[in-house]
Amino acid sequence: GQNIDQPTEMTATEGAIVQINCTYQTSGFNGLFWYQQHAGEAPTFLSYNVLDGLEEKGRFSSFLSRSKGYSYLLLKELQMKDSASYLCAVRPYAGKSTFGDGTTLTVKP
Amino acid sequence: KAGVTQTPRYLIKTRGQQVTLSCSPISGHRSVSWYQQTPGQGLQFLFEYFSETQRNKGNFPGRFSGRQFSNSRSEMNVSTLELGDSALYLCASSLSQGVDEQYFGPGTRLTVT
Protein backbone atom coordinates (compact mmCIF):
# COMPACT_ATOMS: atom_id res chain seq x y z
CA GLY A 1 0.00 0.00 0.00
CA GLN A 2 0.96 3.65 0.12
CA ASN A 3 1.64 5.77 3.20
CA ILE A 4 2.26 9.44 2.58
CA ASP A 5 3.72 11.87 5.09
CA GLN A 6 3.73 15.65 4.84
CA PRO A 7 4.25 18.36 7.44
CA THR A 8 0.95 19.52 8.86
CA GLU A 9 1.60 23.26 8.77
CA MET A 10 4.15 25.70 7.41
CA THR A 11 4.46 29.47 7.53
CA ALA A 12 6.42 31.66 5.12
CA THR A 13 6.77 35.31 4.20
CA GLU A 14 5.44 36.96 1.07
CA GLY A 15 8.12 37.02 -1.65
CA ALA A 16 10.09 34.16 -0.10
CA ILE A 17 10.66 30.57 -1.26
CA VAL A 18 9.14 27.59 0.53
CA GLN A 19 9.72 23.86 0.12
CA ILE A 20 7.01 21.39 1.10
CA ASN A 21 8.29 17.86 1.55
CA CYS A 22 6.48 14.60 0.98
CA THR A 23 7.75 11.13 1.84
CA TYR A 24 6.00 7.96 0.88
CA GLN A 25 6.19 4.21 1.29
CA THR A 26 4.69 2.44 -1.68
CA SER A 27 5.07 -0.74 -3.60
CA GLY A 28 4.97 1.14 -6.88
CA PHE A 29 3.25 3.94 -8.69
CA ASN A 30 3.17 5.63 -12.05
CA GLY A 31 3.16 9.25 -10.96
CA LEU A 32 3.40 11.52 -7.95
CA PHE A 33 1.07 14.52 -7.99
CA TRP A 34 0.75 17.81 -6.18
CA TYR A 35 -2.53 19.62 -5.71
CA GLN A 36 -3.49 22.95 -4.16
CA GLN A 37 -6.67 23.30 -2.17
CA HIS A 38 -7.98 26.60 -0.87
CA ALA A 39 -10.34 26.47 2.09
CA GLY A 40 -13.84 25.50 1.01
CA GLU A 41 -12.78 24.70 -2.54
CA ALA A 42 -11.88 21.58 -4.51
CA PRO A 43 -8.24 20.58 -5.10
CA THR A 44 -6.63 21.92 -8.26
CA PHE A 45 -3.81 20.17 -10.09
CA LEU A 46 -0.37 21.79 -9.80
CA SER A 47 2.29 19.40 -10.99
CA TYR A 48 3.29 15.79 -11.37
CA ASN A 49 6.44 13.73 -11.68
CA VAL A 50 6.84 10.42 -13.41
CA LEU A 51 10.62 10.32 -13.66
CA ASP A 52 13.19 11.35 -11.08
CA GLY A 53 14.18 14.96 -11.21
CA LEU A 54 12.76 18.44 -11.23
CA GLU A 55 9.65 19.60 -13.11
CA GLU A 56 9.22 23.37 -13.35
CA LYS A 57 5.96 25.19 -14.01
CA GLY A 58 6.30 28.92 -13.49
CA ARG A 59 6.56 29.72 -9.79
CA PHE A 60 6.00 26.08 -8.87
CA SER A 61 8.47 23.22 -9.19
CA SER A 62 8.22 19.61 -8.06
CA PHE A 63 10.99 17.13 -7.47
CA LEU A 64 10.92 13.35 -7.23
CA SER A 65 13.44 10.78 -6.05
CA ARG A 66 12.00 7.28 -6.32
CA SER A 67 15.05 5.67 -4.72
CA LYS A 68 14.61 7.86 -1.64
CA GLY A 69 10.81 7.77 -1.56
CA TYR A 70 10.81 11.53 -1.50
CA SER A 71 9.25 14.46 -3.29
CA TYR A 72 9.00 18.17 -2.68
CA LEU A 73 7.03 21.09 -4.00
CA LEU A 74 8.92 24.36 -4.31
CA LEU A 75 7.01 27.62 -4.37
CA LYS A 76 8.92 30.76 -5.37
CA GLU A 77 8.05 34.44 -5.00
CA LEU A 78 5.30 33.61 -2.56
CA GLN A 79 2.09 35.56 -2.80
CA MET A 80 -0.69 35.92 -0.25
CA LYS A 81 -2.98 33.90 -2.53
CA ASP A 82 -0.64 30.92 -2.14
CA SER A 83 -2.01 30.42 1.38
CA ALA A 84 -3.71 27.05 0.98
CA SER A 85 -3.38 23.35 1.66
CA TYR A 86 -0.96 21.44 -0.55
CA LEU A 87 -1.65 17.76 -1.15
CA CYS A 88 0.83 15.13 -2.25
CA ALA A 89 -0.68 12.07 -3.95
CA VAL A 90 0.44 8.86 -5.62
CA ARG A 91 -1.56 7.42 -8.46
CA PRO A 92 -0.71 3.83 -9.29
CA TYR A 93 -1.97 2.36 -12.52
CA ALA A 94 -3.77 -0.51 -10.94
CA GLY A 95 -4.52 0.46 -7.37
CA LYS A 96 -5.93 3.10 -5.13
CA SER A 97 -5.09 6.78 -5.51
CA THR A 98 -3.75 7.92 -2.16
CA PHE A 99 -3.48 11.48 -0.90
CA GLY A 100 -1.45 12.79 1.98
CA ASP A 101 -3.27 14.73 4.66
CA GLY A 102 -1.98 17.96 3.19
CA THR A 103 0.29 20.77 4.34
CA THR A 104 -1.43 24.02 5.31
CA LEU A 105 0.74 26.90 4.15
CA THR A 106 0.21 30.35 5.60
CA VAL A 107 1.85 33.24 3.79
CA LYS A 108 2.39 36.32 5.92
CA PRO A 109 3.11 39.85 4.69
CA LYS B 1 -13.77 23.50 -22.23
CA ALA B 2 -16.18 23.09 -19.33
CA GLY B 3 -14.81 21.69 -16.10
CA VAL B 4 -16.06 18.84 -13.96
CA THR B 5 -19.57 19.45 -12.68
CA GLN B 6 -21.25 17.88 -9.69
CA THR B 7 -24.84 17.98 -8.59
CA PRO B 8 -26.26 18.76 -6.18
CA ARG B 9 -23.78 21.08 -4.47
CA TYR B 10 -25.38 20.78 -1.07
CA LEU B 11 -27.58 18.10 0.43
CA ILE B 12 -29.12 17.46 3.82
CA LYS B 13 -30.40 13.97 4.61
CA THR B 14 -31.45 12.08 7.70
CA ARG B 15 -30.00 8.84 9.01
CA GLY B 16 -31.24 5.77 7.21
CA GLN B 17 -32.02 7.55 3.96
CA GLN B 18 -30.16 6.99 0.74
CA VAL B 19 -28.58 9.55 -1.59
CA THR B 20 -27.38 9.70 -5.19
CA LEU B 21 -24.71 12.14 -6.30
CA SER B 22 -23.91 12.95 -9.91
CA CYS B 23 -20.70 13.87 -11.70
CA SER B 24 -20.13 14.98 -15.29
CA PRO B 25 -16.46 14.78 -16.30
CA ILE B 26 -14.57 17.06 -18.63
CA SER B 27 -15.46 16.30 -22.23
CA GLY B 28 -13.21 13.53 -23.53
CA HIS B 29 -12.23 12.28 -20.10
CA ARG B 30 -13.06 8.63 -19.59
CA SER B 31 -11.89 8.02 -16.04
CA VAL B 32 -13.91 9.22 -13.06
CA SER B 33 -12.85 8.83 -9.44
CA TRP B 34 -14.78 9.59 -6.29
CA TYR B 35 -13.31 10.77 -3.00
CA GLN B 36 -14.65 11.53 0.44
CA GLN B 37 -13.08 14.44 2.29
CA THR B 38 -13.52 15.03 6.01
CA PRO B 39 -11.48 17.18 8.40
CA GLY B 40 -10.32 14.15 10.35
CA GLN B 41 -9.56 11.71 7.54
CA GLY B 42 -8.50 13.92 4.67
CA LEU B 43 -9.13 12.79 1.11
CA GLN B 44 -10.15 9.14 1.01
CA PHE B 45 -10.46 7.23 -2.26
CA LEU B 46 -13.86 5.65 -2.84
CA PHE B 47 -13.70 4.16 -6.31
CA GLU B 48 -12.61 4.72 -9.88
CA TYR B 49 -14.54 4.05 -13.06
CA PHE B 50 -13.20 3.71 -16.56
CA SER B 51 -15.20 2.70 -19.62
CA GLU B 52 -18.25 1.96 -17.49
CA THR B 53 -16.35 -0.50 -15.30
CA GLN B 54 -15.26 -0.08 -11.72
CA ARG B 55 -11.49 -0.46 -11.85
CA ASN B 56 -10.48 0.26 -8.28
CA LYS B 57 -12.23 0.46 -4.95
CA GLY B 58 -11.24 1.99 -1.63
CA ASN B 59 -11.89 0.69 1.86
CA PHE B 60 -15.49 1.73 2.24
CA PRO B 61 -18.48 -0.44 3.18
CA GLY B 62 -20.82 -1.85 0.59
CA ARG B 63 -23.31 0.94 1.32
CA PHE B 64 -21.19 3.03 -1.03
CA SER B 65 -21.65 2.16 -4.67
CA GLY B 66 -21.35 3.81 -8.02
CA ARG B 67 -21.69 3.43 -11.72
CA GLN B 68 -20.57 5.05 -14.93
CA PHE B 69 -22.61 5.57 -18.06
CA SER B 70 -21.57 5.31 -21.69
CA ASN B 71 -21.10 9.10 -21.87
CA SER B 72 -18.64 8.84 -18.93
CA ARG B 73 -21.00 10.56 -16.52
CA SER B 74 -20.93 8.89 -13.13
CA GLU B 75 -23.16 8.55 -10.13
CA MET B 76 -22.43 7.39 -6.63
CA ASN B 77 -25.00 6.12 -4.19
CA VAL B 78 -24.88 5.85 -0.44
CA SER B 79 -27.58 3.77 1.19
CA THR B 80 -28.65 3.67 4.84
CA LEU B 81 -26.92 6.93 5.63
CA GLU B 82 -25.03 7.30 8.91
CA LEU B 83 -23.98 10.46 10.70
CA GLY B 84 -20.36 9.69 9.84
CA ASP B 85 -21.15 9.94 6.15
CA SER B 86 -21.33 13.71 6.48
CA ALA B 87 -18.52 14.93 4.25
CA LEU B 88 -17.53 16.66 1.06
CA TYR B 89 -17.77 14.20 -1.83
CA LEU B 90 -15.44 15.05 -4.67
CA CYS B 91 -15.44 13.71 -8.16
CA ALA B 92 -12.32 13.88 -10.32
CA SER B 93 -11.92 13.12 -14.00
CA SER B 94 -8.88 12.30 -16.09
CA LEU B 95 -8.26 11.26 -19.67
CA SER B 96 -7.51 7.70 -18.68
CA GLN B 97 -6.10 5.68 -15.84
CA GLY B 98 -2.48 5.93 -14.88
CA VAL B 99 -0.40 9.05 -14.90
CA ASP B 100 -2.94 11.52 -16.20
CA GLU B 101 -3.63 14.36 -13.81
CA GLN B 102 -7.06 14.51 -12.23
CA TYR B 103 -9.35 17.51 -12.37
CA PHE B 104 -11.74 17.89 -9.49
CA GLY B 105 -15.30 19.09 -9.46
CA PRO B 106 -16.56 21.55 -6.82
CA GLY B 107 -17.90 18.71 -4.69
CA THR B 108 -21.19 17.87 -3.01
CA ARG B 109 -21.45 18.81 0.65
CA LEU B 110 -23.54 16.09 2.32
CA THR B 111 -24.86 16.62 5.81
CA VAL B 112 -26.54 13.71 7.58
CA THR B 113 -28.69 14.59 10.58
Side-chain angles (χ1 to χ4, degrees):
Chain A
Q2 297 95 18
N3 294 311
I4 299 176
D5 294 307
Q6 306 178 233
T8 303
E9 295 179 334
M10 297 184 71
T11 302
T13 305
E14 191 176 16
I17 299 173
V18 70
Q19 178 175 310
I20 302 175
N21 296 325
C22 169
T23 58
Y24 59 87
Q25 299 83 40
T26 178
S27 56
F29 64 92
N30 271 359
L32 188 141
F33 295 80
W34 285 95
Y35 291 84
Q36 179 192 61
Q37 187 174 26
H38 284 100
E41 299 181 12
T44 56
F45 168 75
L46 286 177
S47 179
Y48 80 90
N49 296 73
V50 176
L51 302 175
D52 284 4
L54 190 67
E55 292 287 338
E56 297 187 80
K57 289 182 73 173
R59 294 190 300 115
F60 298 91
S61 303
S62 59
F63 172 84
L64 175 65
S65 170
R66 286 180 179 265
S67 61
K68 296 182 179 178
Y70 168 68
S71 173
Y72 68 72
L73 179 69
L74 194 69
L75 292 78
K76 304 175 187 176
E77 300 169 14
L78 280 173
Q79 302 175 9
M80 298 299 290
K81 68 178 182 180
D82 296 330
S83 292
S85 180
Y86 291 85
L87 306 167
C88 171
V90 293
R91 182 167 166 80
Y93 182 78
K96 306 171 185 177
S97 298
T98 302
F99 282 76
D101 290 339
T103 298
T104 300
L105 173 66
T106 302
V107 180
K108 296 186 174 180
Chain B
K1 188 181 275 192
V4 180
T5 58
Q6 291 187 246
T7 56
R9 292 293 311 279
Y10 302 91
L11 205 52
I12 299 175
K13 292 284 189 179
T14 56
R15 278 180 297 175
Q17 289 186 310
Q18 67 92 28
V19 66
T20 299
L21 311 181
S22 182
C23 170
S24 292
I26 292 172
S27 177
H29 284 194
R30 297 172 61 194
S31 174
V32 173
S33 297
W34 288 90
Y35 296 88
Q36 181 196 66
Q37 188 173 37
T38 59
Q41 297 295 318
L43 260 171
Q44 300 290 314
F45 174 77
L46 280 157
F47 25 65
E48 177 181 18
Y49 286 88
F50 181 77
S51 295
E52 302 178 64
T53 302
Q54 187 181 89
R55 303 290 177 158
N56 298 296
K57 191 176 191 304
N59 297 323
F60 280 81
R63 301 186 295 109
F64 291 81
S65 64
R67 58 178 176 169
Q68 186 180 35
F69 302 95
S70 58
N71 62 357
S72 294
R73 189 178 70 86
S74 178
E75 290 181 346
M76 68 162 280
N77 183 278
V78 188
S79 62
T80 320
L81 283 166
E82 300 177 358
L83 294 178
D85 296 333
S86 294
L88 179 67
Y89 290 89
L90 291 161
C91 160
S93 78
S94 59
L95 276 171
S96 65
Q97 295 180 291
V99 297
D100 298 306
E101 60 267 30
Q102 294 179 304
Y103 294 88
F104 284 83
T108 295
R109 174 74 62 185
L110 172 65
T111 302
V112 182
T113 62

